[in-house]
């Protein structure tokens, strides 16, 4: 399953109202480390379908949402469970580190 692209209109439905695990990748097109992490995040989305929903939020398109979750530097990954934050990771991390967020 491909990542879900988030915006101001669907963030509540796709993340906060969702049941189960939702991983949100806060990123931006101009961010080199974000681009480095993108293929890893895509691989995680594909390999963990059914376990976790993986979403991407471009902070330039939704700065207010990023700020409300204290995203000061990107890439930032936030894992939600039933709409609540359970883990947060900042910077480029390995696939194993991402998957360890929910295992």
């Amino acid at each position: 399953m491909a990542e879900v692209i988030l915006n101001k209109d669907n963030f509540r439905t796709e993340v906060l109202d969702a049941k189960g695990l939702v991983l949100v990748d806060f990123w931006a097109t101009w961010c080199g480390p974000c681009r480095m992490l993108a293929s890893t995040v895509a691989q995680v989305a594909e390999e963990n379908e059914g376990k976790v929903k993986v979403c991407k939020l471009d902070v330039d398109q939704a700065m207010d949402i990023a700020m409300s979750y204290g995203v000061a530097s990107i890439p930032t990954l936030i894992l939600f469970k039933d709409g609540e934050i359970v883990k947060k990771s900042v910077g480029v991390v390995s696939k194993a580190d991402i998957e360890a967020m929910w295992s």
Side-chain angles (χ1 to χ4, degrees):
M1 179 175 157
E3 301 114 319
V4 176
I5 305 302
L6 298 174
N7 56 47
K8 292 174 182 149
D9 299 327
N10 70 357
F11 187 84
R12 173 165 289 290
T13 306
E14 295 288 350
V15 179
L16 301 180
D17 295 340
K19 294 294 173 218
L21 297 172
V22 181
L23 181 69
V24 180
D25 177 10
F26 290 83
W27 72 289
T29 54
W30 49 264
C31 167
C34 298
R35 289 196 304 272
M36 286 171 52
L37 187 62
S39 62
T40 305
V41 171
Q43 191 176 12
V44 166
E46 192 176 304
E47 293 178 8
N48 291 278
E49 187 173 356
K51 275 191 222 165
V52 62
K53 174 165 55 169
V54 179
C55 305
K56 294 181 77 70
L57 181 76
D58 185 334
V59 297
D60 289 336
Q61 306 298 318
M63 184 60 73
D64 53 336
I65 294 172
M67 289 174 60
S68 72
Y69 288 100
V71 175
S73 53
I74 50 175
T76 291
L77 299 174
I78 299 180
L79 182 67
F80 293 82
K81 182 174 184 181
D82 300 331
E84 299 293 321
I85 294 175
V86 290
K87 293 252 174 78
K88 192 173 184 177
S89 169
V90 180
V92 176
V93 291
S94 70
K95 182 173 155 249
D97 289 340
I98 295 171
E99 291 172 340
M101 291 175 77
W102 62 82
S103 29

